[in-house]
Amino acid sequence: MSEADATEAPRRRSRLPLILGLLLPLAGGAAGFFAVREGFLDPAAFVRPAETGADIAPDALADTAFVPLDTIVVSLASGSAGRHLRFTAELEVAPAHRAEVERLRPRVVDVLNGYLRALDQSDFEAPGALVRLRAQMLRRVQMVTGDGKVRDLLVMEFVMT
């Protein structure tokens, strides 16, 4: 080491990134606050209609009937070693179609029973499995009852033992 190297002061690191890292978020927050306060942005515009409940009219709830389905207990396909699924659901229908759907209830239970028996345990373990299974079952029910008669399939019980 030479004397020139020893007398040189260590190079100082810049504080500019630290200052920018603190000032830019503060400036952005202040600009957002100002924009909302002065009316440039409406915070209600960022709320989805489902969160406000505005999409459900009180009259639509009165125009709904439910057809309960018998509880279905199925043994899962091979490889599940004696596992069972207990499933209970109700069908959401228009009151005008309630009697017709109730007459078809044995066919609906048969279709659901056949579908649930064909599933493996791995079909239940995937993320979002219940949503996918529910959509599949609803489609099968709508095929049995006819389009437009069953609005939704409400899962009341879905228990694996």
Side-chain angles (χ1 to χ4, degrees):
M1 240 192 201
S2 70
E3 283 184 35
D5 292 337
T7 59
E8 256 182 55
R11 192 167 162 194
R12 200 164 189 201
R13 292 177 53 181
S14 175
R15 292 188 183 173
L16 183 62
L18 177 66
I19 293 170
L20 286 177
L22 293 174
L23 289 179
L24 286 178
L26 288 174
F33 174 77
F34 178 76
V36 170
R37 185 171 183 210
E38 296 300 318
F40 297 126
L41 293 176
D42 182 18
F46 297 106
V47 178
R48 293 182 298 214
E51 293 175 358
T52 62
D55 61 337
I56 300 175
D59 296 335
L61 295 176
D63 191 32
T64 300
F66 296 97
V67 176
L69 298 177
D70 298 331
T71 299
I72 300 172
V73 179
V74 295
S75 58
L76 298 177
S78 63
S80 299
R83 306 273 322 236
H84 291 84
L85 171 68
R86 188 172 63 221
F87 175 78
T88 306
E90 292 195 18
L91 302 176
E92 181 181 335
V93 298
H97 299 296
R98 181 179 184 154
E100 192 174 347
V101 172
E102 283 183 354
R103 275 196 311 267
L104 294 172
R105 190 175 0 182
R107 287 189 183 269
V108 170
V109 171
D110 179 59
V111 166
L112 293 176
N113 196 358
Y115 175 70
L116 291 171
R117 282 192 188 278
L119 298 174
D120 289 326
Q121 185 173 351
S122 62
D123 295 324
F124 301 108
E125 294 171 352
L130 185 58
V131 174
R132 183 180 50 79
L133 294 173
R134 184 173 167 256
Q136 289 287 329
M137 289 185 283
L138 176 60
R139 181 64 192 136
R140 284 168 170 72
V141 168
Q142 288 173 337
M143 289 174 66
V144 169
T145 60
D147 284 337
K149 294 183 180 147
V150 175
R151 294 179 187 163
D152 202 0
L153 174 88
L154 306 172
V155 176
M156 308 308 286
E157 183 178 27
F158 195 88
V159 179
M160 290 179 54
T161 56

